[in-house]
Amino acid sequence: MPQSGGVTGHVGYDVSLMNEYEQGSGPNVIWDAHIAVPLLETDPDQCLAGLHLEPCECSLSGTALCERLFEYESMPELPEVEIFRQVADSCRGRAINHASIADPGILEGIPAQDLERLLKGEYLRSSRRHGKHLFLELSGAGTLAMHFGMNGSLKLVSEGEPDPSYARLQLYFEKGDRLVYVNPRRLGRVSLAENAEAFIAETDLGPDVLDAAFNSHAFEAILASSKRDIKSVLMDQALMAGIGNIYSDEILFQARLFPGTAANQLKGKRATELFRAMRKTLQSAINSGAGSEQGVERLPKGFLLTQRHPGGLCPRCGALLETVKHGGRTGYYCHRCQPT
C-alpha cells in the first residue's frame, strides 16, 4: 500500500491547468489512504482509474487521467489564499537577506538569477490578496505575484527546520527564518509585477468577491448579464475573482440553489440571498483556518465540504449527494435541498 501523504483537506480542480496533463507533462500519482486524493509521484502502473490503493490493470493516461486527477486534486481558492496572505503579512517590514529559487520553471517573465538579485536587500512592505492571487509588495523592486496552482501553499519556516517538500522559492530573512513558496504540481506561478493593480488589469481578473466595494448590486448585475449556469458564473475569474469548484458547491448548497440554475434567473431577493451566502461561506472558511486539517474539523456542522466526495451525505437531510458536470467541472449537490 502506498504511503499516505500529509494533505488532509477538500478536493477540487481548475480546468485552466488541465492542458499540461493532457499533453503528458503532469506527474503520475498515488492515492492518499485516508481521503483518496492523488498526492505523490509513483510508478506509472499504479491504478489511476478509481480509488484502488494497489496496482491493477485499469491505469489511465491522457484525458482520462486528467479528468480523474482534477476531480480529486485540491486547489487553493480564496479562503486558502487569504490564510497564506496572513502568513506573509506576519513578515511585513522584514528585510530579505537573500532568495533561493530551486525551480526556475515556476517563474514567469523573469530569469531566476535576475529575481534572486532583485530580491536581495528588499523588505516586504505589504501583502494583498485578490481572488486566488497573492501579492507581496516589495520596497523597491515591484510586487511578487503568486498563484498556487494545485496543492500550493506559503509557509513560514524557522531557522534550522528542514525545507518543506516541493519548496520552489524561499525568501530568507535576516534572522534565518524564511518564507517558502511550496508547489507540488509545479502548476503554480510566480512573477514580478509593477504592482497588484497592473497585474490584475493585465490578467483580466474580475473584482475580488470579498472586496468591500463589490456589493450585492454589482453582484446582481453580473448575474443578469449571463445565461450560463450559476456554478460556472461563480467560477469565472473574469467576472468575479476567488471562487473555484469547491466553494461554488458550498455557496450554492448554503443558498439552496441547484448548480444548473441560469444566472440571469436570480434577481432581487434571490440574488441578494446568494450574495450573502457567498460572503458568509467564504468568511466562515477563513475563520476556520481553511485548507488545514484543523480547518476542516472546525467548519460549521452544516457545511457540505466535509461530505464532498463519492458516497458523501447531505449534512442537512442525509440524502446521498449527487454530481453534475458544468463546463467540464464535477460539482456536488443535494437533490432534496437544491431542487432543479
Side-chain angles (χ1 to χ4, degrees):
M1 181 176 292
Q3 295 293 315
S4 171
V7 178
T8 54
H10 41 270
V11 295
Y13 65 98
D14 188 311
V15 169
S16 67
L17 304 175
M18 190 173 286
N19 288 339
E20 294 192 33
Y21 284 85
E22 292 178 335
Q23 295 167 2
S25 62
N28 296 307
V29 298
I30 61 176
W31 298 100
D32 183 283
H34 298 296
I35 56 171
V37 298
L39 294 173
L40 307 172
E41 297 182 9
T42 187
D43 188 277
D45 292 331
Q46 173 68 40
C47 170
L48 298 170
L51 307 183
H52 307 116
L53 293 173
E54 300 294 343
C56 69
E57 298 179 357
C58 59
S59 59
L60 300 177
S61 62
T63 301
L65 165 59
C66 177
E67 290 177 353
R68 176 61 64 175
L69 173 63
F70 281 89
E71 181 175 349
Y72 290 101
E73 189 71 86
S74 173
M75 179 174 179
E77 298 181 26
L78 184 155
E80 287 76 29
V81 180
E82 176 60 22
I83 299 300
F84 304 156
R85 188 201 64 77
Q86 294 172 14
V87 171
D89 204 53
S90 70
C91 303
R92 184 172 53 181
R94 301 190 63 186
I96 300 172
N97 183 276
H98 69 280
S100 174
I101 300 170
D103 183 5
I106 55 100
L107 300 181
E108 280 188 342
I110 186 169
Q113 289 183 340
D114 290 351
L115 185 58
E116 288 177 343
R117 175 178 54 81
L118 288 170
L119 290 174
K120 186 174 181 178
E122 291 285 309
Y123 66 86
L124 299 184
R125 294 186 62 179
S126 64
S127 62
R128 173 182 172 183
R129 180 198 51 74
H130 186 96
K132 302 177 187 179
H133 288 81
L134 176 64
F135 301 96
L136 304 183
E137 183 187 3
L138 304 168
S139 51
T143 297
L144 278 180
M146 296 180 171
H147 188 274
F148 295 90
M150 301 177 69
N151 279 341
S153 62
L154 193 69
K155 302 178 183 295
L156 183 59
V157 180
S158 300
E159 183 178 15
E161 290 186 18
D163 292 344
S165 298
Y166 308 109
R168 308 297 182 184
L169 180 152
Q170 303 194 60
L171 305 179
Y172 286 82
F173 299 113
E174 65 280 0
K175 293 183 179 180
D177 54 347
R178 58 208 188 274
L179 200 58
V180 183
Y181 174 86
V182 176
N183 204 276
R185 297 289 175 213
R186 301 183 71 234
L187 295 178
R189 291 293 179 264
V190 177
S191 60
L192 187 65
E194 179 182 354
N195 51 53
E197 288 75 14
F199 182 95
I200 292 165
E202 290 170 3
T203 52
D204 295 322
L205 290 173
D208 182 275
V209 294
L210 286 188
D211 192 313
F214 184 62
N215 57 31
S216 60
H217 298 293
F219 179 71
E220 185 172 357
I222 290 174
L223 302 190
S225 70
S226 180
K227 297 179 181 179
R228 290 186 296 160
D229 63 87
I230 184 59
K231 179 174 172 66
S232 296
V233 170
L234 288 174
M235 291 190 293
D236 189 333
Q237 303 303 297
L239 295 178
M240 59 186 98
I243 302 170
N245 196 34
I246 298 166
Y247 287 102
S248 61
D249 281 354
E250 189 65 63
I251 291 164
L252 293 172
F253 176 74
Q254 297 300 329
R256 296 177 179 265
L257 282 174
F258 176 63
T261 304
N264 63 358
Q265 292 181 3
L266 301 172
K267 302 174 183 179
K269 182 179 178 181
R270 295 183 76 195
T272 300
E273 288 175 348
L274 176 58
F275 178 79
R276 290 173 178 168
M278 176 184 72
R279 287 287 183 91
K280 184 176 180 180
T281 297
L282 295 173
Q283 193 59 57
S284 294
I286 292 168
N287 293 344
S288 75
S292 67
E293 181 176 0
Q294 294 78 12
V296 172
E297 292 173 351
R298 288 166 49 193
L299 284 171
K301 298 294 185 182
F303 260 47
L304 178 79
L305 194 150
T306 56
Q307 291 293 315
R308 195 181 175 280
H309 56 76
L313 302 178
C314 174
R316 282 201 195 104
C317 70
L320 183 67
L321 295 180
E322 298 189 15
T323 59
V324 62
K325 291 278 189 178
H326 290 282
R329 298 156 167 87
T330 299
Y332 287 81
Y333 75 101
C334 174
H335 69 279
R336 291 178 183 172
C337 299
Q338 300 166 263
T340 57

